[in-house]
Amino acid sequence: MNSSKLPQLYSYWRSSCSYRVRIVLNLKEIDYNTVPIDIFKGGGEQFSDNYRQINPMKKVPALVIDGHTIVESLNIMQYLEETRPQKSLMPLDVLKRAKVREICEMIQSGIQPLQNVGVVSRFENFVKENQESIKLEWAQYWIIQGFTALNEVLTASAGKYCVGDDITLADCCLIPQVYNARKFKVDMQQFPNLSRVATHLENHPAFYAAHPSNQPDCPQEFKTHKI
Amino acid sequence: MNSSKLPQLYSYWRSSCSYRVRIVLNLKEIDYNTVPIDIFKGGGEQFSDNYRQINPMKKVPALVIDGHTIVESLNIMQYLEETRPQKSLMPLDVLKRAKVREICEMIQSGIQPLQNVGVVSRFENFVKENQESIKLEWAQYWIIQGFTALNEVLTASAGKYCVGDDITLADCCLIPQVYNARKFKVDMQQFPNLSRVATHLENHPAFYAAHPSNQPDCPQEFKTHKI
């Protein structure tokens, strides 16, 4: 396929929501081009008039595919699942499907929004002293709350992966959130079920290729991929 | 049906995530019993050991149905859509489905988590002065950011409702968020598309019956239903 016709992923290397979508694209073996959006440069390229036309929420990722622009990461993942059912990432059983969506939602609504760059930066504005340590405390709190619950859920649901022994959308949400947890210095040993699943996933080629350190817009000093 | 066999919705009258699920149950004409969880009483009944067994995330809502407990509001809504396809709340067209999910996700991940009771209370702990006005500023900021984007999305997607002329899951997320916006004194006139859709929905019997003021656990002084 002519590379100009490939799907275009507007992505930032370290954005966990971009990372989720990259994993799904890789698992489904969909070739795509990355359009890097630097969420820090000049106050954030996602706030430009051009990008606002792509996503009024002024967030990455956005995927241009099939002649349309799809935004909101879980929506993109579900769109890919509906339109590219090869290498399915959703179980057929209705209760297992609910479990996958439950885990995705715990991360996507209960953890990630509270510790993303935009929210933590805004939070910082309200803190008068010890900004760095209080920012860390805020982010860690929400990750630990969410991961404690998730670790409990996995006791019943997990096999090799989050729900049984097949990779699902839940796993595609989990690994980027684990990356964020490490960035915020959360001790992952408190979450044994979650760590065990993560270990199985992180060396999978589709997950490895989607890792922030392996993205074209990753600065040289972060290129050493440490899982 | 014996009322003890009805689905049980663990719900708090003013929780917008409980409100979403109530709307879907009503639209699909599924009888259910409400089990009130008071998220303020004694520090919050959702933190009790009993409730933690139901939902490790220690949040409402949770729905006991078909012999299982389903948690996370959008997941519950999607589970009901999959298992009770009558009065469908998802379009058949794949792009319209993506638009419905996009709007749900804008609210469920981009707005609601940042202004819910748990997050605003925790935020308050970090603010040393003018707590009430700063809490309001924080909540309003995220609602206005999200509603500005949503109003723009609706320019293209809305008919009578959020996506075309049929009620979808997007509408079931919208109305509870509009309720929260009013609670936080956001001027809705800045969002004309969104206000127009809300006006069509708010008098619908399924939405009216799901309104916080019409719940069994609503205190007497809030029973006067003002839309």
Side-chain angles (χ1 to χ4, degrees):
Chain A
M1 198 191 277
N2 182 322
S3 73
S4 67
K5 297 288 182 196
L6 287 176
Q8 307 260 321
L9 180 67
Y10 291 82
S11 165
Y12 177 65
W13 65 286
R14 221 173 190 185
S15 136
S16 68
C17 293
S18 302
Y19 188 179
R20 292 175 190 166
V21 173
R22 293 193 301 254
I23 295 169
V24 174
L25 287 163
N26 293 347
L27 284 168
K28 289 185 173 285
E29 298 175 3
I30 302 165
D31 276 346
Y32 69 96
N33 286 324
T34 297
V35 185
I37 297 293
D38 189 328
I39 64 172
F40 292 101
K41 193 174 163 187
E45 292 178 342
Q46 75 278 24
F47 298 115
S48 70
D49 286 346
N50 275 353
Y51 191 73
R52 198 188 161 163
Q53 301 299 314
I54 293 164
N55 185 3
M57 281 296 265
K58 300 176 260 182
K59 288 178 178 174
V60 285
L63 184 69
V64 180
I65 192 167
D66 304 333
H68 297 274
T69 304
I70 315 288
V71 299
E72 298 290 337
S73 64
L74 206 63
N75 178 42
I76 300 172
M77 294 154 77
Q78 289 169 304
Y79 176 83
L80 292 172
E81 179 67 13
E82 287 194 352
T83 58
R84 275 86 175 160
Q86 75 268 22
K87 316 247 177 186
S88 174
L89 298 170
M90 280 299 279
L92 290 175
D93 175 75
V94 77
L95 283 169
K96 283 192 180 165
R97 292 169 71 81
K99 189 53 71 178
V100 169
R101 285 191 307 251
E102 174 189 335
I103 295 170
C104 290
E105 199 168 338
M106 288 172 78
I107 295 170
Q108 165 235 14
S109 155
I111 308 176
Q112 193 281 340
L114 298 163
Q115 52 82 76
N116 71 31
V117 168
V119 171
V120 172
S121 306
R122 184 137 191 104
F123 172 72
E124 187 180 11
N125 290 341
F126 290 96
V127 178
K128 303 297 174 213
E129 290 165 4
N130 305 317
Q131 283 182 322
E132 281 309 311
S133 67
I134 287 179
K135 251 173 31 179
L136 197 67
E137 184 188 336
W138 170 268
Q140 284 180 342
Y141 177 82
W142 298 111
I143 296 171
I144 291 169
Q145 288 287 310
F147 273 8
T148 301
L150 184 52
N151 193 65
E152 206 167 315
V153 168
L154 292 189
T155 308
S157 72
K160 190 171 176 189
Y161 304 118
C162 285
V163 180
D165 292 320
D166 293 312
I167 294 178
T168 64
L169 294 183
D171 301 297
C172 305
C173 289
L174 174 66
I175 292 300
Q177 189 59 56
V178 169
Y179 175 84
N180 281 357
R182 293 200 181 111
K183 196 176 79 174
F184 286 116
K185 302 181 173 55
V186 171
D187 173 14
M188 288 299 298
Q189 290 192 324
Q190 10 174 9
F191 315 113
N193 298 327
L194 210 153
S195 296
R196 180 174 50 78
V197 170
T199 304
H200 289 142
L201 290 163
E202 286 174 322
N203 290 314
H204 186 293
F207 286 74
Y208 184 86
H211 190 280
S213 295
N214 299 326
Q215 302 317 303
D217 54 331
C218 174
Q220 200 54 43
E221 64 268 34
F222 291 99
K223 285 267 183 194
T224 313
H225 174 167
K226 283 189 202 148
I227 284 177
Chain B
M1 198 190 279
N2 182 321
S3 74
S4 69
K5 296 287 182 197
L6 286 178
Q8 307 262 321
L9 180 67
Y10 291 81
S11 165
Y12 177 66
W13 64 286
R14 222 174 190 184
S15 137
S16 68
C17 293
S18 302
Y19 188 179
R20 291 175 191 167
V21 173
R22 295 193 300 253
I23 295 169
V24 174
L25 287 163
N26 293 347
L27 285 168
K28 289 185 174 286
E29 299 174 2
I30 302 165
D31 276 346
Y32 69 96
N33 287 324
T34 297
V35 185
I37 297 292
D38 189 328
I39 64 174
F40 292 101
K41 192 174 164 186
E45 292 178 342
Q46 75 278 25
F47 298 115
S48 71
D49 285 346
N50 275 353
Y51 192 73
R52 200 190 158 162
Q53 302 298 314
I54 293 164
N55 185 3
M57 281 295 265
K58 300 176 260 182
K59 287 178 180 175
V60 284
L63 184 68
V64 180
I65 190 167
D66 304 333
H68 297 275
T69 305
I70 315 288
V71 298
E72 297 291 335
S73 63
L74 208 62
N75 179 41
I76 300 172
M77 294 155 78
Q78 289 169 303
Y79 176 83
L80 292 172
E81 179 66 13
E82 287 193 354
T83 57
R84 276 84 174 162
Q86 76 268 22
K87 316 248 177 184
S88 174
L89 298 170
M90 281 298 280
L92 289 174
D93 175 74
V94 77
L95 283 169
K96 283 192 181 165
R97 292 169 72 80
K99 189 54 69 179
V100 169
R101 284 191 309 250
E102 174 190 333
I103 294 170
C104 291
E105 198 168 340
M106 288 172 78
I107 295 169
Q108 165 234 16
S109 155
I111 307 176
Q112 194 280 339
L114 297 162
Q115 52 82 77
N116 70 31
V117 168
V119 171
V120 171
S121 308
R122 184 135 191 104
F123 172 73
E124 187 178 13
N125 289 341
F126 290 97
V127 177
K128 303 297 172 213
E129 291 165 5
N130 305 317
Q131 283 182 322
E132 282 308 312
S133 67
I134 287 179
K135 253 176 24 182
L136 196 68
E137 184 188 336
W138 170 268
Q140 284 179 341
Y141 177 83
W142 298 111
I143 295 171
I144 290 170
Q145 287 288 308
F147 272 8
T148 302
L150 184 53
N151 194 64
E152 207 168 314
V153 168
L154 293 188
T155 309
S157 72
K160 190 171 175 187
Y161 304 119
C162 283
V163 180
D165 293 320
D166 293 312
I167 293 178
T168 64
L169 294 183
D171 300 298
C172 306
C173 289
L174 175 67
I175 292 302
Q177 190 59 57
V178 170
Y179 175 83
N180 280 357
R182 293 199 180 110
K183 197 176 77 174
F184 286 117
K185 304 181 173 53
V186 171
D187 173 15
M188 289 299 297
Q189 290 193 323
Q190 19 179 355
F191 314 113
N193 297 327
L194 210 153
S195 297
R196 180 174 49 79
V197 169
T199 304
H200 288 142
L201 290 163
E202 286 174 321
N203 290 314
H204 186 293
F207 286 74
Y208 184 86
H211 190 280
S213 295
N214 299 326
Q215 302 317 303
D217 54 332
C218 174
Q220 201 54 45
E221 64 269 33
F222 291 99
K223 285 268 183 195
T224 314
H225 174 167
K226 284 187 200 150
I227 284 178

